[in-house]
Amino acid sequence: MAWMTYISNWFEQDDWYEGLQRANMSQVRQVGLLAAGCQPWNKDVCAANGDRFAYCATLAIYIYQLDHRYNEFKLHAIMSEHKKTITAISWCPHNPDLFASGSTDNLVIIWNVAEQKVIAKLNNTKGIPASLSWCWNADDAVAFISHRGPLFIWTISGPDSGVTVHKEAHSFLSDICIFRWHTQKKGKVVFGHIDGSLSIFQPGNKNQKHVLRPESLEGTDEEDPVTALEWDPLSVDYLLVANLHYGIRLVDSESLYCITTFNFPSAAASVQCLAWVPSAPGMFVTGDSQVGVLRIWNVSRTTPIENFKLKKTGFHCLHVLNSPPQKKFSLQSPTKNHYTSSTSEAVPSPTLTQNQAFSLPPGHAVCCFMDGGVGLYDMGARKWDFLRDLGHVETIFDCKFKPDDPNILATASFDGTIKVWDINTLTAVYTSPGNEGVIYSISWAPGGLNCIAGATSRNGAFIWDVRKGKIIQRFNEHGKDGIFCIAWSHKDSKRIATCSGDGFCIIRTVDNKVLHKYKHPAAVYGCDWSQNNKDMIATGCEDKNVRVYYVATSSDQPLKIFNGHTAKVFHVKWSPLREGVLCSGSDDGSIRIWDYTQDACINILSGHTAPVRGLMWNTEIPYLLVSGSWDYTIKVWDTREGTCLDTVYDHGADVYGLTCHPSRPFTMASCSRDSTVRLWSLTPLITPLQINILVDRTWEEVIGNTDNVIEQGTPPLLCGKVSRDIKQEIEKHTGDPRAKKLRWFSECLSPPGGSDNLWNLVAVIKGQDDSLLPQNYCKGIMHLKHLIKFRTSEAQELTTVKMSKFGGGIGVPTKEERLKEAAEIHLRLGQIQRYCELMVELGEWDKALSIAPGVSVKYWKKLMQRRADQLIQEDKDDVIPYCIAVGDVKKLVNFFMSKGQLKEALLVAQAACEGSIQTLHISTPKGASCTDEIYKEDYNELLHKVTKDLAEWYFQDGRAVLAACCHLAVDDIELAMAYLIRGNELELAVSVGTVLGESAAPATHYALELLARKCMMISTCFPSVGYSICFIYVMFFPFHENRNLAADLLLMTPDNELHLVKLCAFYPGCTEEINDLHEKCKLPTVEECMKLAETAHADGNVFETVKYYLLSQEPEKALPVGIAFIKKSISNANWTVNTIFPVLDLLSYIRTEKLLLHTCTEARNELLILCGYIGALLAIQRQYQSIVPALYEYTSQLLKRRKVSVPLKIEHLSEELDAWRACTQSDNRSSEEASYTPPSDSQRMVYATLVKRLKEEPLKGIIGPDYVTGSNLPSHSDIHISCFTGVKIQGPVFFLEDGKSTISLNDALMWAKVNPFSPLGTGIRLNPF
């Protein structure tokens, strides 16, 4: 096992202490990712193999992988090693795990996708590898070429490894656009040139250079580049060629003859890309260069069979998948019956038109567009399976939240566009018109003005009216010099500042009246308006100085000049909470904090290893500052002491922009040269503050005064406007102030991704009036009592809505599209007549007529007459597919589920439950009765099944909050709470559970216990070595405060004595401090506990003996008593986990410094082994499949390497693990699968014995793996290998106490819930909560 190879040394050495100071779990959590778009400048930038496809942004390769359970493609990895533009990628035809990439810095890389790592690099290639392809005739060779050759072949491994030059492929007369190896003829290769010609090389044949130019170019110097080139998979000689203007030809590479020239419907159409369809011989698809039209062709016809307009922007490249996705869910559909009888129903043959005879079998095309859009189009179903629309394709220099909406984020890029995103759905809602050149900086207009000011590299500045979709003002005072920063004053909406390479910072009004031109001795890179004084502005200059100007005077001289940086100052930011305090980031790698009132630098933050770019003050914690740098990192600082609290490594290139919204102050967005925008939650940095709110502490322990909070050592308190507004509203509120307090603070502190939706559902369950629900409620997961009502209303709105004069932004549907959407909703709601009328309005009469009998025969006749009249007037006959409405709800729901359309299935099931869909009563056998009540019961069961599937889909996607919303929507409070806990959303679970009350109580109490464990992990000092483990929030809160928080949390639970005992047992301190805690928890003093322990020991009461020894001055005395009891118990053949777990669990809370005493070595080792083994059994019970093997291996290694005497044998553990694997495999696999081996009888017996030992889980829904937010988000540069699996960790990482071993946070959470001790076998407790 990879884990044991990696970790086995740790079981024998004691120098792990050295890592304790480094051991920290990153506190800043990634909660969202806006992936980059596909670059539009190089040719071979998308590829596919098996169940994966990839595309290139400028600096990174995005790998999407098919999730077989839901049959959808998900972002699997971001490969980021190239420092300059990627030129091409090629997937290995012989190994789906390998692909190659080249870049403009003369670099070729071979990647292993499965392991997400580089396996070979070729530096300093002779010339840029402009085009690149894996050689079909060799397993480990990649060919690449630049411009006019030569063609280089790199053999990666083996005796012939190295780079060779193709003997003939060189000295071309025209640059090469693209080349392709033949898949069958060894060594045969074709090159396409800029001048429109081809060059063909084949071993043993005469080489053909610059042949087959389009006829129209013969005898001219004009160029018509070859845009696409593909060998016919069914022929050894035929080749499909596309020239940009001439179009497509099928040519014979042997006779050099053009077999077919294909004709386009329009002379204006030009081909950008083409691909053969592997599942349909003779068929190929093309993408137009000007407009996103996908055309389907067959070699036997010169005109396209089908044309699909997919987007307004043109294609860049496409690739058809070899193995299209199959059915999404295995449904209990009737299996094929190979025997027919006289009663079998005949299967009618379809009537096909000439075009339909060529209809494609299911085919999926990876489509990349000129605007960066990437999607997977299902040609058979004519719909997108996946569309990642409008991603930036270049460096994103700036990002800003909309002042009046924390869900809207704007980004500015090198690619010349500003894009506006909805961060809840992570989709683009607007894009700026045209291309403005490089956009360095943006600034929203204050309030709800819906305008953005942008600053460009050469085209001045501008104001874009987002809703109108047009530029309404331009500023050109800086000429052609680059404007590096633009700042719209939020105190005075008429003023805009710009600073430029011309050395000026210009203050002007929005109507272009210049107020000030502040001259600097060099380029000005940054400017920022003070948030406390509307007339104060600061600038950062290339001369290394920070200047402060006062705009209200006529003087153009600065009030203050701050010097101290040793390189240019790039950005400056005023503190929103501390008047007169500002920070500056410099190319010297430092950040300086300046106090205007003291005329001094009050702190220097050092830690970045490259120039600093992004800067962001927190709007609630006055000393919290975040910075981004060219060293690819984001750092979080406590500016009081100058300490770095956390470093984030996830971006794959320079970090430029950082922003947060005041009403969601602990959600941060960042942007980078890696072309991504990432969302982060900073909330874990203030965990104790959150818990103060949960345990209802006084306002003084939640909200503070800025002057007091900036004192060193003061715990974090909220000092911003939002927290004060919440306090003010709660003090005015007449109802339940606790519920409001929990909700409002939860919404403020939680990242986007469903918390608002969750609280709306809680309000519905608690009986809130529907009229008080927010406007956006119907856009999320609705309670099922509202689903039909709101969707009907939505359908009516779609029918009547009028397009605004200026349109509505990106991809706004036409009126026809809106009517179609409305019609589809009406149909799912069982409102057939309304559907028919809308179809008539759309001119789709056949669709209307086919289901009109579902209303009445009379209505159908009337509609037939109207259609006849219409056809006579129009004199035309369209062929439209028929859709027949039947009331078989189960079939309809199963149909949607089979396609993965779970939300549609939910809607239909709910409509059936409400009786909106009329049931088709099938005749039943004699004596049987089938009432509507039975149907309704069936539908309710169906509804809950669909809800559960939808919740699981969200959960597996790392969106636990939305999974909980699904269960709340059907009033399943227990499951909703369980999903929050499994997603480690503990604070949210406690808040919601407290408001929901009794129905959520068991889960709330469990969440409180886990939160208390989180607080218990305080600085644990080891006197012998002097090292300590400190989690970040301890830096904020005093030592004793964490123990009090833990006690307060546990005091909120009923029957809390045992939990309080564990807290007191674990707490390390002097006798006086421990006794204070005992008093708070209503427990005897340590001296009394020793006496009680001795009394219980004399009475033979093991549990009480262990309990009181642990609470005494000598807790180590509990170890031999408890361990002896457990060893004796498991020697009994019929033992169960229930008999020993209470004692074992209690023992595990022994103080760490006592457990690590040399005198306790044997007892410690035995305790670790017993906890490991019982942990493995509990993991089996909870279905924590990913950690079961690791727990067994951990226990076996300890048994093997430590001197112990426990009644467990390594062979027995191995037997149990094999039995578990065999029997759980048999549950999850079909007996028809080739690799399936059924478990043996002995394995079944071993597994049955093991299952008998397990204990019942008290909480519903808690069984199943944990998935935290961001579990599926790949990192860029921060690569960690799991010491459990040996592969790269996807999502959040958890560091073990040596400071270098890592496991996934999901695995760490599951491990800690079943075995509290570290996998390194050190005796340190694990605390990933």
Side-chain angles (χ1 to χ4, degrees), residues 88-136:
I89 57 173
S90 175
W91 222 296
C92 177
H94 320 291
N95 184 343
D97 286 342
L98 299 183
F99 74 85
S101 59
S103 59
T104 56
D105 51 356
N106 299 1
L107 175 66
V108 177
I109 296 177
I110 309 299
W111 305 84
N112 184 307
V113 182
E115 296 176 18
Q116 298 186 34
K117 68 180 184 184
V118 173
I119 58 170
K121 264 189 188 184
L122 181 64
N123 286 297
N124 303 315
T125 61
K126 293 175 182 175
I128 294 169
S131 193
L132 171 146
S133 175
W134 214 285
C135 300
W136 276 80

Side-chain angles (χ1 to χ4, degrees), residues 741-811:
K741 184 177 179 181
L742 288 171
R743 174 171 183 166
W744 288 340
F745 273 115
S746 172
E747 289 175 336
C748 169
L749 301 179
S750 297
S755 59
D756 291 355
N757 196 161
L758 190 74
W759 281 109
N760 288 333
L761 288 165
V762 169
V764 170
I765 289 170
K766 294 298 286 181
Q768 178 180 292
D769 190 274
D770 289 356
S771 63
L772 298 175
L773 288 168
Q775 200 173 354
N776 64 354
Y777 167 68
C778 59
K779 291 181 181 176
I781 297 168
M782 289 178 278
H783 194 277
L784 290 184
K785 73 177 186 181
H786 296 136
L787 188 61
I788 301 302
K789 184 173 85 173
F790 274 95
R791 290 306 297 271
T792 302
S793 167
E794 181 191 349
Q796 288 164 350
E797 187 183 327
L798 284 164
T799 309
T800 57
V801 74
K802 302 294 180 190
M803 293 293 288
S804 72
K805 182 180 174 185
F806 301 103
I810 293 169

Side-chain angles (χ1 to χ4, degrees), residues 944-992:
H944 282 269
K945 180 185 183 304
V946 176
T947 301
K948 191 173 180 183
D949 281 343
L950 184 58
E952 194 60 27
W953 177 75
Y954 277 122
F955 189 67
Q956 299 273 345
D957 200 36
R959 295 187 280 176
V961 179
L962 288 175
C965 287
C966 292
H967 289 297
L968 279 188
V970 290
D971 295 323
D972 197 332
I973 290 168
E974 273 187 285
L975 272 182
M977 292 291 291
Y979 272 75
L980 288 176
I981 291 167
R982 286 172 57 199
N984 204 39
E985 300 285 347
L986 301 179
E987 291 86 354
L988 189 55
V990 170
S991 299
V992 165

Side-chain angles (χ1 to χ4, degrees), residues 394-693:
E394 257 287 6
T395 300
I396 304 172
F397 283 118
D398 201 5
C399 56
K400 295 286 192 314
F401 280 106
K402 193 169 188 289
D404 65 333
D405 190 343
N407 296 312
I408 298 296
L409 178 75
T411 53
S413 171
F414 189 99
D415 64 19
T417 64
I418 300 172
K419 299 191 190 303
V420 179
W421 308 85
D422 179 336
I423 62 166
N424 281 309
T425 58
L426 299 177
T427 54
V429 288
Y430 299 102
T431 189
S432 58
N435 188 310
E436 295 291 334
V438 178
I439 302 177
Y440 284 133
S441 174
I442 50 174
S443 184
W444 282 93
L449 293 176
N450 287 317
C451 289
I452 297 174
T456 74
S457 61
R458 296 183 59 79
N459 300 321
F462 61 89
I463 297 176
W464 168 40
D465 186 314
V466 178
R467 289 282 161 81
K468 290 181 180 177
K470 65 179 184 179
I471 306 299
I472 58 170
Q473 184 64 279
R474 291 191 180 275
F475 308 118
N476 299 305
E477 300 90 346
H478 296 285
K480 289 293 181 183
D481 288 292
I483 301 176
F484 297 108
C485 187
I486 191 161
W488 204 318
S489 170
H490 281 224
K491 295 283 184 182
D492 182 349
S493 62
K494 292 180 180 177
R495 296 195 296 208
I496 294 178
T498 54
C499 52
S500 164
D502 63 5
F504 282 98
C505 173
I506 296 178
I507 315 294
R508 67 179 63 72
T509 61
V510 289
D511 54 4
N512 224 350
K513 179 186 174 186
V514 174
L515 302 175
H516 288 280
K517 290 183 78 171
Y518 295 127
K519 174 68 176 165
H520 293 65
V524 193
Y525 291 102
C527 61
D528 190 45
W529 294 97
S530 168
Q531 296 185 43
N532 296 302
N533 185 329
K534 71 181 179 69
D535 296 319
M536 200 91 83
I537 190 167
T539 63
C541 181
E542 193 169 20
D543 72 349
K544 310 170 191 174
N545 292 334
V546 175
R547 291 171 173 80
V548 177
Y549 293 90
Y550 191 62
V551 180
T553 68
S554 58
S555 169
D556 284 342
Q557 294 304 306
L559 286 177
K560 292 272 170 70
I561 300 178
F562 294 114
N563 52 59
H565 282 296
T566 56
K568 78 181 180 197
V569 178
F570 201 85
H571 270 318
V572 287
K573 286 285 176 187
W574 290 94
S575 167
L577 298 173
R578 300 168 66 187
E579 191 161 357
V581 172
L582 70 156
C583 67
S584 57
S586 164
D587 278 16
D588 64 16
S590 74
I591 299 140
R592 287 180 175 250
I593 312 298
W594 311 91
D595 190 330
Y596 174 84
T597 60
Q598 296 180 35
D599 198 10
C601 173
I602 56 175
N603 220 326
I604 302 172
L605 312 178
S606 301
H608 283 298
T609 57
V612 176
R613 287 298 176 259
L615 290 171
M616 185 196 85
W617 288 100
N618 187 268
T619 58
E620 286 290 337
I621 308 289
Y623 53 79
L624 207 60
L625 178 73
V626 187
S627 61
S629 165
W630 278 7
D631 65 9
Y632 300 13
T633 69
I634 296 170
K635 288 185 181 287
V636 184
W637 306 89
D638 180 336
T639 57
R640 298 173 301 183
E641 301 166 12
T643 51
C644 179
L645 304 179
D646 200 7
T647 302
V648 179
Y649 299 91
D650 278 300
H651 273 297
D654 320 337
V655 180
Y656 279 101
L658 299 168
T659 184
C660 73
H661 195 282
S663 65
R664 207 184 260 147
F666 297 98
T667 295
M668 174 178 74
S670 62
C671 60
S672 162
R673 190 165 63 91
D674 67 15
S675 308
T676 67
V677 177
R678 292 170 188 260
L679 298 175
W680 313 89
S681 174
L682 307 179
T683 312
L685 291 165
I686 54 154
T687 292
L689 187 54
Q690 270 188 296
I691 293 171
N692 278 347
I693 295 165

Side-chain angles (χ1 to χ4, degrees), residues 892-906:
L892 196 54
V893 168
N894 285 340
F895 168 73
F896 281 129
M897 289 176 70
S898 72
K899 293 164 71 68
Q901 293 172 293
L902 301 176
K903 293 176 184 176
E904 300 288 343
L906 186 67

